[in-house]
Amino acid sequence: MSRLADLMWRLRPQVGLAAVAAGVWLAMMTGALTPIEDGLATLRFKALQRAPSHQITVVEIDVPSLRAAGRWPWGRDRFATAIGNLQAAGAKVVAFDVDFSANATAATDKALAEAIGARPGSVILPTFVQPERRPDGGVRLVETSPLRGLSTEALLASVNVPIDSDGRVRRYTYGFGVDETYRPSMGASLAQAPQQRRDSFLIDYSAKLGEIDHLSFEDVFRNRFDPRLVRGRSILIGATALELGDEFATPPAGTVNGVYLHALAFENLTSGRALTAPPAWMTYGLACLLILFLRADREPSLRRLSRRHATVGVGLVALPILLQNLAPISLSVAPLLAAQLLCLLWATQAELARRARSIIAEREAGLLHQAMHEPETGLPNRRALLLDIGSHMQGDQTDAVAVVAIGIDRFPTMRGAIGYSLSNLIVRGVAARLEAICGDVQVAHLSTSVIGLVLRRADTETLLADLKRIEDLDPGHEVAGHPVDAFVKLGVSHRTSQEDEAERLLENAALALDEARRLNWRVVTFEAETYADPTSNLALMTEMRRGLQAGEISLHYQPKLTTADGGVHGVEALIRWKHPVRGNIPPDSFIGVAEETGNIRELTEWTLERALADRAALSASGQDLIVSVNISGRLLADRSFCDHVQAMVAGRDHGLCLEITETAVIENPTAATASIAAFRAAGLKVSIDDYGIGLSSLSYLKMLEADELKIDKSLVVAVAESQRDRLILKSTIDLAHSLGMSVVAEGVETHEVQAALALLGCDAVQGYLISRPVPLDDLRAFLAAWGQAPDLAATG
């Protein structure tokens, strides 16, 4: 029986999905959602109301017209007169929603026929399909048309309006067919819609019916109307008087006269607002996808599930309005709302079931208490803390989580002095104080002198405040009536991603505690950069090598502006990596790893080859530049690399300048000196890069025979404003000139800084003011533009 219950519990998501999907299907098939759908459609129509096109004017056979004529039906001569008056006023076409299938009088019929024949094809007469009982008791559909004498020179259009099973009009048909006969509908004929279409569309009731231009038939008959309402327009004549009974029920607009339904269809077709609706199976498919998205077992956090439902609710209100306005497509929303409601009910039931199982789990946890606690102190043990960390990793991933390892100083000495039992009292006392200051934490006894806990707070500021309270923990304890001090050190490990594991976080906290004890610091926070993942580094280097082969890695060039003549005589080559999946990878993310893993040589040699090729291409087009390439300090001591570079440039007009960081020189001055001398002997220029960012040494500048000194941005940015910075730069520039080196300032971003550097004697400047690093083709365009209009190029 327990197996069956367990199986049913495991199958509950599938059962829930099937139940919700079946409920939505049943509601759709029974029509239970129709009133809801009508209400939602009405709201959409009101939200998207628009003015009519004023391309059609309705001539109403209204109560004043009936009273003026004195009887109904009228003689056909009245309609003939109306046709003449309308055509004289410039009507494009005159259409009737009036039955002309029976004879009136010969004279009036003839008058109407002559009026129609005066402009053949400019009058549309109505037909309609109606059922007729056959002699055998069956029913067939027959078409009732105008008199043959009237329809000879007129166009024919059907005025049938499809009515749904509940007696309401929601659709309009392009045309009707009986046997082999096809009749376009009145609205389609007026709008000149494609012929032979028998399908229908949903009527867009957002057009304001009250603003459709209309005239009284009596005014038209008496020729006392404004011709601007007729000229160049389609005219539709039909009944609006209640006694003529030409009315239809509609969901959004109440009762509407038939003539206005045709006019509304004309407006829909001419303005591209004939609404289409996805088929029922597609709507049901969307509902099923929504059920999968909102399934109760997908999201363990009620808060996140509530947000998901709120987002869906907003989408179900906004998306159909947007879709109907743009497409136009009328999306059936009621099944989707039904799906969401059923999912809410399902989520409620699932939450109740989850809480019931939680009670059972708590009982089982009580049975495992001894296995989850340290017997000497009665505190939770490492296993319990790991479970606690895992539980805190669930739920809202935006919360700040940290694992803390607290080590008690001199614990072995303390235990030797006061004994095991009293030492355990000290451990429990420290744990109690931690629980008191941190509130809802579980403190675990990890080892003899180490206890641990996990903190989860809504934001980082609150978490740091709790860590500060732990650091300031009162060390004073009283044991057996005697004061004992128990100072602590902390190792802290913060959650940095959703993939962090409890075991890893606890291990990182222990490593940080070891570092705190080694350095004799109160608190050490674990830094992932200090413990790089070798597997990740190797994978990145594998992708980098593949990227070199696949052309993902390229060189961009940043120009250097010479202050003396305003020309660009050199550029710096900078590596860019556009990964096909991860996008642009910053150089700092992979160059450091390449140095640590020994792949920097391959990357540097590729850079040099690419720079030589690009410079040759520039020289061929008449643009002779010095190209600077950064060289890692780790390569200066690699003799084979130095030999390879010399062989690479031997016999070539290379025009290369190797930029070597000041830090690399300081770390290994002997190797740096030898390498620089070898490079210069091969005809390569050498630049000391990032001067001023480290511990700049005048003795190294004196020792090194470099061609260029490149001042770091940190010394440049404030030179236009700070007299002190100008004095420092001035002395640096003068010293470099005295040693035979030119000076380049990088990070120049304003004209004021550029001008100040020029006054100080700086030979060249580099930075965003001149240009950002650009690909080779863009560099060509930049150089061309700079040569033609330096001022414009500088501002660009």
Side-chain angles (χ1 to χ4, degrees):
M1 192 67 182
S2 59
R3 290 183 178 180
L4 179 60
D6 187 65
L7 177 62
M8 292 299 295
W9 176 258
R10 289 199 303 269
L11 291 177
R12 75 192 189 283
Q14 290 76 14
V15 174
L17 287 172
V20 174
V24 173
W25 177 255
L26 183 63
M28 291 178 64
M29 292 301 99
T30 58
L33 301 176
T34 300
I36 299 174
E37 189 60 50
D38 286 343
L40 295 172
T42 300
L43 292 176
R44 292 199 297 272
F45 292 140
K46 290 182 178 179
L48 299 174
Q49 279 194 333
R50 62 188 72 216
S53 65
H54 301 294
Q55 298 180 41
I56 189 171
T57 298
V58 174
V59 176
E60 298 182 351
I61 302 177
D62 51 9
V63 173
S65 300
L66 292 178
R67 290 176 180 171
R71 62 184 178 85
W72 180 264
W74 295 336
R76 304 286 165 77
D77 55 338
R78 294 181 68 85
F79 296 108
T81 301
I83 292 174
N85 292 340
L86 292 169
Q87 290 180 345
K92 183 170 66 174
V93 63
V94 179
F96 287 89
D97 185 11
V98 179
D99 183 13
F100 295 126
S101 61
N103 289 311
T105 65
T108 59
D109 287 345
K110 180 180 179 181
L112 179 57
E114 289 175 351
I116 294 173
R119 288 177 57 184
S122 63
V123 176
I124 303 176
L125 298 180
T127 70
F128 53 95
V129 176
Q130 59 184 341
E132 181 183 75
R133 187 173 298 276
R134 296 184 303 193
D136 59 359
V139 177
R140 63 172 182 154
L141 295 177
V142 295
E143 182 184 50
T144 301
S145 303
L147 295 172
R148 182 176 299 275
L150 300 179
S151 59
T152 303
E153 301 295 336
L155 302 176
L156 299 181
S158 173
V159 293
N160 283 93
V161 176
I163 300 175
D164 291 341
S165 58
D166 61 353
R168 297 176 182 270
V169 176
R170 298 179 179 87
R171 297 180 174 271
Y172 194 87
T173 305
Y174 285 94
F176 296 83
V178 178
D179 298 329
E180 299 299 323
T181 303
Y182 172 81
R183 292 281 182 260
S185 63
M186 182 61 73
S189 181
L190 288 171
Q192 298 180 349
Q195 297 291 310
Q196 302 303 323
R197 290 190 63 174
R198 289 177 167 83
D199 56 317
S200 61
F201 59 89
L202 290 174
I203 299 175
D204 185 359
Y205 284 97
S206 60
K208 297 179 180 178
L209 284 173
E211 294 183 11
I212 294 179
D213 294 320
H214 58 276
L215 297 170
S216 173
F217 186 93
E218 182 63 17
D219 291 335
V220 172
F221 178 76
R222 300 296 179 187
N223 204 15
R224 58 188 185 197
F225 57 90
D226 186 353
R228 290 178 298 179
L229 299 178
V230 175
R231 186 178 302 115
R233 298 191 183 189
S234 298
I235 308 300
L236 180 57
I237 301 174
T240 59
L242 290 177
E243 48 263 55
L244 297 182
D246 188 23
E247 294 181 332
F248 296 87
T250 65
T255 301
V256 177
N257 295 109
V259 66
Y260 278 99
L261 285 178
H262 299 306
L264 190 57
F266 168 87
E267 291 286 349
N268 289 173
L269 292 170
T270 54
S271 61
R273 299 302 305 167
L275 299 178
T276 59
W281 65 265
M282 186 178 294
T283 303
Y284 180 69
L286 290 175
C288 290
L289 291 176
L290 186 62
I291 293 169
L292 291 174
F293 182 71
L294 296 175
R295 56 187 296 178
D297 61 318
R298 179 178 179 179
E299 181 56 72
S301 169
L302 282 179
R303 181 186 302 176
R304 293 174 67 91
L305 186 61
S306 299
R307 291 175 182 171
R308 196 184 297 270
H309 273 276
T311 302
V312 168
V314 172
L316 290 181
V317 172
L319 179 61
I321 296 176
L322 183 64
L323 197 60
Q324 184 167 317
N325 184 52
L326 298 178
I329 294 175
S330 180
L331 181 64
S332 183
V333 183
L336 305 181
L337 289 175
Q340 183 178 17
L341 177 60
L342 292 175
C343 284
L344 280 173
L345 296 176
W346 179 22
T348 302
Q349 184 275 334
E351 176 63 10
L352 293 175
R354 186 194 66 79
R355 293 185 180 184
R357 289 182 68 86
S358 178
I359 294 173
I360 298 175
E362 289 177 1
R363 293 175 181 175
E364 293 175 350
L367 297 176
L368 295 175
H369 181 271
Q370 290 183 347
M372 302 294 289
H373 285 74
E374 181 66 32
E376 291 184 354
T377 59
L379 295 172
N381 58 18
R382 179 185 179 87
R383 184 184 304 167
L385 182 59
L386 287 174
L387 291 176
D388 191 35
I389 296 172
S391 66
H392 280 79
M393 298 289 284
Q394 303 299 320
D396 193 345
Q397 298 295 336
T398 62
D399 289 352
V401 177
V403 176
V404 187
I406 302 103
I408 302 176
D409 286 350
R410 304 180 297 104
F411 190 80
T413 302
M414 182 192 304
R415 185 177 56 190
I418 65 177
Y420 277 84
S421 298
L422 296 181
S423 298
N424 289 333
L425 290 178
I426 296 294
V427 173
R428 287 199 294 269
V430 173
R433 291 184 179 179
L434 290 171
E435 291 174 347
I437 64 174
C438 295
D440 57 345
V441 300
Q442 173 180 274
V443 181
H445 193 178
L446 303 180
S447 64
T448 303
S449 62
V450 179
I451 55 183
L453 56 86
V454 56
L455 291 175
R456 176 176 175 175
R457 297 295 180 258
D459 52 72
T460 304
E461 291 74 13
T462 305
L463 179 65
L464 293 177
D466 283 351
L467 290 174
K468 179 61 178 175
R469 283 194 287 270
I470 295 175
E471 181 183 351
D472 297 336
L473 190 69
D474 183 8
H477 296 265
E478 185 173 323
V479 178
H482 300 283
V484 177
D485 288 338
F487 294 93
V488 297
K489 289 183 172 61
L490 277 62
V492 183
S493 174
H494 292 275
R495 179 180 69 179
T496 57
S497 70
Q498 299 181 14
E499 289 73 24
D500 286 339
E501 298 178 353
E503 185 72 43
R504 175 63 63 85
L505 286 175
L506 185 56
E507 179 182 345
N508 293 343
L511 291 173
L513 175 60
D514 292 341
E515 188 71 3
R517 285 172 165 172
R518 185 182 69 83
L519 299 173
N520 196 26
W521 291 357
R522 290 295 303 275
V523 182
V524 169
T525 300
F526 179 83
E527 298 290 344
E529 294 77 7
T530 310
Y531 302 88
D533 186 352
T535 303
S536 175
N537 290 341
L538 292 176
L540 184 63
M541 290 300 97
T542 300
E543 293 192 35
M544 186 192 74
R545 290 188 173 188
R546 179 193 55 76
L548 289 173
Q549 300 295 328
E552 298 169 9
I553 298 177
S554 62
L555 291 185
H556 285 203
Y557 296 92
Q558 187 172 33
K560 300 179 181 179
L561 177 67
T562 303
T563 56
D565 59 5
V568 176
H569 303 297
V571 294
E572 179 180 0
L574 299 168
I575 293 179
R576 296 294 182 264
W577 183 3
K578 188 174 183 179
H579 194 278
V581 177
R582 298 162 59 182
N584 292 323
I585 300 180
D588 293 344
S589 301
F590 63 92
I591 290 180
V593 177
E595 290 183 330
E596 295 296 332
T597 57
N599 290 278
I600 191 62
R601 175 170 175 174
E602 179 180 0
L603 184 62
T604 304
E605 290 177 354
W606 176 90
T607 302
L608 290 169
E609 292 285 1
R610 184 71 264 166
L612 285 169
D614 289 349
R615 185 190 178 278
L618 289 171
S619 297
S621 60
Q623 296 166 329
D624 194 15
L625 301 175
I626 299 295
V627 178
S628 300
V629 177
N630 289 281
I631 301 297
S632 169
R634 294 181 179 271
L635 296 177
L636 290 180
D638 187 344
R639 188 63 202 173
S640 63
F641 169 77
C642 296
D643 294 341
H644 180 78
V645 173
Q646 294 176 70
M648 184 186 302
V649 301
R652 300 173 65 173
D653 180 19
H654 52 79
L656 288 183
C657 176
L658 305 183
E659 294 192 358
I660 301 169
T661 62
E662 176 195 10
T663 305
V665 176
I666 295 174
E667 289 178 352
N668 197 340
T670 302
T673 302
S675 297
I676 290 174
F679 289 150
R680 298 193 73 203
L684 292 161
K685 293 185 178 298
V686 175
S687 174
I688 304 300
D689 195 13
D690 296 337
Y691 183 81
I693 197 172
L695 300 175
S696 302
S697 173
L698 299 180
S699 62
Y700 289 131
L701 290 182
K702 178 182 178 181
M703 178 178 58
L704 297 173
E705 295 184 3
D707 301 281
E708 180 182 272
L709 184 68
K710 197 169 187 181
I711 301 175
D712 186 71
K713 178 181 179 180
S714 60
L715 292 180
V716 172
V717 290
V719 68
E721 303 174 358
S722 171
Q723 178 66 25
R724 182 183 181 88
D725 286 352
R726 284 197 294 272
L727 290 173
I728 294 174
L729 276 178
K730 177 61 177 174
S731 62
T732 302
I733 292 171
D734 291 344
L735 175 62
H737 286 167
S738 299
L739 295 175
M741 291 185 285
S742 61
V743 180
V744 177
E746 60 181 350
V748 177
E749 299 181 358
T750 66
H751 290 287
E752 291 78 10
V753 170
Q754 179 187 4
L757 290 170
L759 290 174
L760 294 175
C762 185
D763 300 289
V765 293
Q766 175 183 350
Y768 288 174
L769 176 65
I770 313 305
S771 173
R772 292 176 178 270
V774 294
L776 181 63
D777 290 340
D778 293 347
L779 176 64
R780 285 195 178 99
F782 170 85
L783 293 173
W786 189 275
Q788 295 173 4
D791 293 337
L792 294 177
T795 58

